Amino acid sequence: MGLVDELRSVLGLRAETDARRDADPEDLFGMSTAYLTMEADLGYESSDVGALCFSGVDSTSFHDAVDEVEAILEAGREETGTEFSVTSDDHGYHWVVLEDDDPEDLITSMHFAADTFIEHDYGSRLLAAVFAYENRDGPAYWIYSFRRGRFYPFAPRSGRERDSSVEFKLEAKLDGELEIERDKEYWYPLWPSEGGTHPWE
């Protein structure tokens, strides 16, 4: 199975079959306390960036939905200061990338973007929300699967290795604070494209 097929299987088609419920952007607000725990108890600082991953569809109404996401984020930029861009990766997925040095504003902007897709009846196209952190040991991400309605940790290292001990530590510390995916088969690694740093690059 190729990389794209695996991603589609885990975050897309198979997860849709096993979905617990419809996409709910309210779950993202769980990160409002989690980022404090990450910093105070684990020494992780927010990387001031996050992203929303979605799969596209070639239709006018879908493009209108993406345009409205951009319009809403543009309108909120003055109040929140959240910078954003819409990009595509080498695997054919699309991303709304958000940057803000205030984690609360970052989470709020992510929620607005996800909620707009749902209001346009494209919640099924939402795959994941990704929140980036870092400490002296390297980066770590919390990934929210919209199809599963759960979070899971991802700690990538060089050579496309992942630090399972860090991931299990994050799971243990944030269990109860976040709705964590119990089935580790769905802890899919979102590797960046060659030369990229973050999953959306």
Side-chain angles (χ1 to χ4, degrees):
M1 181 180 287
L3 179 62
V4 176
D5 291 331
E6 265 189 78
L7 178 59
R8 185 177 292 113
S9 176
V10 176
L11 288 181
L13 299 178
R14 190 174 68 207
E16 185 172 13
T17 301
D18 297 338
R20 299 175 184 274
R21 52 186 164 76
D22 293 335
D24 187 355
E26 296 300 315
D27 292 342
L28 302 180
F29 286 121
M31 293 304 301
S32 294
T33 59
Y35 84 85
L36 296 172
T37 302
M38 290 284 287
E39 180 177 351
D41 296 355
L42 296 169
Y44 278 91
E45 298 283 345
S46 170
S47 297
D48 302 333
V49 63
L52 192 67
C53 180
F54 61 98
S55 58
V57 58
D58 190 15
S59 74
T60 300
S61 62
F62 181 76
H63 293 304
D64 288 345
V66 175
D67 288 344
E68 185 166 335
V69 168
E70 295 189 64
I72 286 174
L73 292 175
E74 182 63 43
R77 192 198 315 244
E78 184 173 341
E79 181 178 345
T80 65
T82 305
E83 299 293 333
F84 71 93
S85 62
V86 178
T87 65
S88 299
D89 63 24
D90 289 349
H91 311 307
Y93 289 92
H94 307 282
W95 298 84
V96 178
V97 181
L98 304 152
E99 297 183 60
D100 199 310
D101 59 9
D102 183 332
E104 294 285 354
D105 286 343
L106 185 68
I107 295 163
T108 298
S109 296
M110 185 90 76
H111 175 272
F112 281 149
D115 199 43
T116 301
F117 280 109
I118 292 170
E119 287 178 354
H120 282 265
D121 296 323
Y122 285 109
S124 63
R125 311 308 295 186
L126 291 170
L127 299 178
V130 182
F131 298 89
Y133 294 87
E134 57 186 320
N135 73 359
R136 64 181 180 275
D137 297 323
Y141 299 88
W142 277 105
I143 299 172
Y144 176 76
S145 169
F146 283 97
R147 302 289 177 80
R148 296 284 293 173
R150 295 290 186 269
F151 287 89
Y152 65 92
F154 174 44
R157 297 295 181 259
S158 61
R160 296 215 166 197
E161 298 291 333
R162 57 195 300 183
D163 192 330
S164 297
S165 64
V166 167
E167 293 177 359
F168 295 149
K169 182 178 181 180
L170 293 176
E171 176 193 22
K173 192 64 183 179
L174 276 296
D175 189 15
E177 195 164 347
L178 294 175
E179 290 286 343
I180 294 177
E181 175 60 65
R182 300 299 181 191
D183 187 346
K184 291 178 174 54
E185 182 182 7
Y186 290 97
W187 286 25
Y188 186 77
L190 296 183
W191 301 112
S193 302
E194 186 175 351
T197 300
H198 296 295
W200 52 87
E201 296 177 341

